[in-house]
Amino acid sequence: MKDKLYTTNDGITVIYSPVKNITGVQFELSFAAGALNDPAGKAGLAHFCEHILMGCGTKRFTREEKNKQMSKYQYINAFTSNYVLRMVISATNDDIAEAVDTMTESFDGLNLTQQEFDTEKKIIKDEIITRKRTNDMLANMMIFKNLDKTPEFNNLEYSAAGSIDTLDNITLQDVKDYLRDFITKENLVITIAGNISKRQVDDIIKRYISPRLPSSGKKGFTRAQRLGYKPPQYLHAESVEKGQAFINIFYMPSNNKSAQYIDRRKSVRNSIISGTVNELAFLYFREKHNLCYNVYLGMYQDSTANDLLDLFIECQDGNIEEVIAVYTQFISELLDKFDIQSFEKAKKRVLSYANFDVKPIKKITQDKFAEYNNYGNVLSAMLGDRELEFKKELISSITFDEAKAALSRIKDALPYVIIISDNDRFANFDYQKFIKKHKKS
């Protein structure tokens, strides 16, 4: 059966993907209510609200009773990213209506007392304290904190959970206000996959979701609002992994033009380019020079729908100068090493991925939401049974000359550099000297 992408009469976006040869059903509720909406000084508020929605007691269940009820179902989870607050539940066809009812009762039936609030805050504090801090996550947050729309959307901390300090600033009233403003029909996309009819889906939404949500509040931050990066050409931070360094060098357009959705053809082209250049980087930095324990080089469309070439290297703190010197040589040779043989090898690999069209329902809902979020549509909703054929045709149509021209254009841009290190000398890294060597190469 063909997937359906539609909007309910009261404004909820629905992606319905029927799968007949399984017994389970998954409902995934994604609200545009992620961490980029956190107010100044209160980073972690969106994540706090996720915990409240999933863990707090309701008019019908105490906290303990709700946890026991939820344990009946096959899978339940929730998470908060920079963009999305997501709630997920899977159950058999017979149980899915009851499961959704149990999960969404918190939309209008929370028993949100000060005691419940304090209990959840303690749980989140323990999560922050015990979470392993990594340099790659730190680099990601450094980029997000330099969004064009500052200061309104630069309140992120190390993770969506915030920090101990910002968590202490969050009040019970803040949580109530955030839930009222952002957990709305306007901000919601529901993705459903499994052995369930559209009539059943519509009935569950009508009974257990729509009546429990306000129509609108504040429009959540989405990728369409990203106008581009304006970070300094060089950023430095102290390492959160003792003795280890993280180097991130990326190339991107200097303009701030933005598109609401990325280009599907470019996305496929960039996945082939990534497969090619990442293998080249691994061979160069790991096998030829043995300078790092992890390296990745890839090309993709960023949140502004512009191409971005991104290299990160994890190495020992004492290896940074040598890594940068070797990088300058590597980037000068990259286009010569990007040959037809390596391109065809990567293209064949990407083509093989398209054959894996049988997926668990958890992966289906994730992929369908990603398609809608990235491209503004769901491929199989347009093509039906031709989805796999279309993907193969699209991949096969990407040419070596097309890919090399795209890589060449992006590589000609000036690079942005992030160095995360315990060594103080990199706080004053000579970016202009680095650029001179880069241009010379």
Side-chain angles (χ1 to χ4, degrees):
M1 292 179 65
K2 190 175 180 179
D3 293 349
K4 295 185 183 297
L5 171 63
Y6 63 99
T7 303
T8 64
N9 292 334
D10 53 356
I12 298 175
T13 300
V14 180
I15 304 168
Y16 165 59
S17 184
V19 184
K20 291 299 183 184
N21 58 345
I22 58 175
T23 57
V25 181
Q26 177 154 304
F27 268 68
E28 185 174 289
L29 280 62
S30 301
F31 292 93
L36 284 168
N37 300 289
D38 288 345
K42 298 185 178 183
L45 179 55
H47 177 258
F48 203 127
C49 290
E50 170 221 311
H51 272 248
I52 290 293
L53 288 171
M54 296 298 285
C56 187
T58 62
K59 294 173 182 176
R60 213 175 2 151
F61 300 109
T62 65
R63 175 184 290 266
E64 292 74 20
E65 289 169 343
K66 183 176 179 179
N67 288 336
K68 184 177 180 180
Q69 179 72 13
M70 290 291 202
S71 68
K72 291 172 51 180
Y73 310 121
Q74 291 170 324
Y75 175 77
I76 183 163
N77 203 353
F79 70 88
T80 304
S81 69
N82 289 336
Y83 294 103
V84 173
L85 187 160
R86 179 170 294 160
M87 305 164 68
V88 185
I89 194 159
S90 298
T92 64
N93 186 282
D94 291 339
D95 290 339
I96 191 62
E98 179 189 83
V100 173
D101 176 27
T102 303
M103 183 175 73
T104 62
E105 190 199 2
S106 58
F107 292 162
D108 66 348
L110 279 174
N111 182 25
L112 187 47
T113 63
Q114 187 66 47
Q115 182 179 354
E116 286 277 9
F117 174 85
D118 292 340
T119 298
E120 208 60 52
K121 180 178 278 191
K122 172 65 167 60
I123 292 171
I124 297 171
K125 280 188 175 181
D126 290 345
E127 178 184 331
I128 293 172
I129 291 169
T130 57
R131 176 174 287 158
K132 179 175 171 57
R133 294 169 65 84
T134 60
N135 285 333
D136 61 326
M137 289 181 65
L138 176 59
N140 182 58
M141 286 300 165
M142 288 170 68
I143 293 172
F144 267 99
K145 285 176 77 69
N146 285 278
L147 291 175
D148 198 15
K149 282 182 174 288
T150 56
E152 187 178 1
F153 296 111
N154 73 340
N155 302 313
L156 292 167
E157 289 291 326
Y158 174 76
S159 77
S163 66
I164 298 296
D165 290 340
T166 61
L167 195 64
D168 282 336
N169 293 335
I170 296 172
T171 67
L172 176 59
Q173 191 59 49
D174 290 330
V175 171
K176 290 180 177 179
D177 291 345
Y178 195 93
L179 292 172
R180 178 200 65 215
D181 291 341
F182 291 100
I183 305 304
T184 66
K185 297 173 188 175
E186 179 185 33
N187 285 329
L188 175 60
V189 177
I190 305 176
T191 312
I192 305 103
N195 189 1
I196 186 171
S197 70
K198 184 177 178 298
R199 179 179 295 180
Q200 288 175 286
V201 166
D202 290 341
D203 182 64
I204 289 172
I205 293 172
K206 185 177 181 180
R207 292 173 63 189
Y208 302 124
I209 299 177
S210 287
R212 292 173 170 171
L213 291 172
S215 295
S216 62
K218 292 183 179 179
K219 185 68 175 173
F221 188 95
T222 64
R223 65 179 304 127
Q225 294 167 266
R226 290 284 302 278
L227 295 181
Y229 296 99
K230 280 189 178 178
Q233 294 291 144
Y234 176 67
L235 291 168
H236 172 265
E238 185 176 342
S239 176
V240 295
E241 298 178 81
K242 193 67 178 175
Q244 298 179 16
F246 183 92
I247 303 168
N248 187 194
I249 302 173
F250 57 96
Y251 300 78
M252 59 186 303
S254 58
N255 64 63
N256 288 320
K257 293 181 179 178
S258 176
Q260 182 171 359
Y261 299 109
I262 65 178
D263 182 278
R264 198 183 294 273
R265 180 179 180 83
K266 287 182 179 179
S267 180
V268 171
R269 179 204 68 194
N270 289 348
S271 67
I272 299 172
I273 293 174
S274 296
T276 308
V277 298
N278 187 50
E279 185 170 348
L280 294 173
F282 181 87
L283 292 172
Y284 203 88
F285 287 94
R286 283 287 303 273
E287 295 198 359
K288 182 176 180 179
H289 292 280
N290 195 26
L291 281 175
C292 59
Y293 53 89
N294 194 19
V295 58
Y296 173 78
L297 178 61
M299 187 165 168
Y300 53 91
Q301 291 171 88
D302 70 359
S303 298
T304 68
N306 288 304
D307 287 333
L308 186 151
L309 184 66
D310 192 20
L311 170 76
F312 74 74
I313 298 171
E314 294 177 279
C315 64
Q316 297 299 317
D317 203 61
N319 287 354
I320 297 177
E321 287 96 338
E322 191 175 359
V323 167
I324 291 174
V326 169
Y327 160 78
T328 303
Q329 183 65 30
F330 168 76
I331 207 71
S332 69
E333 300 174 4
L334 180 59
L335 282 178
D336 290 335
K337 292 180 179 294
F338 188 86
D339 56 25
I340 186 72
Q341 289 80 18
S342 57
F343 169 81
E344 291 295 342
K345 180 180 177 182
K347 184 175 176 179
K348 185 176 180 181
R349 188 183 305 123
V350 172
L351 194 58
S352 71
Y353 296 156
N355 289 314
F356 292 98
D357 57 332
V358 178
K359 304 172 184 175
I361 55 174
K362 180 180 176 181
K363 188 70 168 61
I364 293 173
T365 54
Q366 290 174 351
D367 287 355
K368 297 302 179 185
F369 177 81
E371 281 193 27
Y372 172 75
N373 191 49
N374 289 333
Y375 306 120
N377 54 49
V378 178
L379 191 61
S380 49
M382 300 184 295
L383 299 170
D385 294 337
R386 282 201 69 245
E387 179 181 7
L388 182 59
E389 181 184 345
F390 176 86
K391 287 181 179 179
K392 290 180 177 180
E393 289 173 354
L394 184 58
I395 295 166
S396 299
S397 70
I398 306 297
T399 67
F400 172 70
D401 290 341
E402 175 185 355
K404 190 159 188 174
L407 181 61
S408 179
R409 283 193 301 271
I410 196 72
K411 183 185 154 295
D412 288 339
L414 288 178
Y416 292 78
V417 181
I418 297 174
I419 295 180
I420 298 174
S421 166
D422 284 334
N423 201 315
D424 291 340
R425 68 184 183 278
F426 292 108
N428 299 306
F429 177 74
D430 192 340
Y431 177 79
Q432 294 304 322
K433 183 178 179 181
F434 170 78
I435 286 301
K436 286 180 181 178
K437 287 185 178 179
H438 183 273
K439 287 182 176 179
K440 187 177 179 180
S441 68

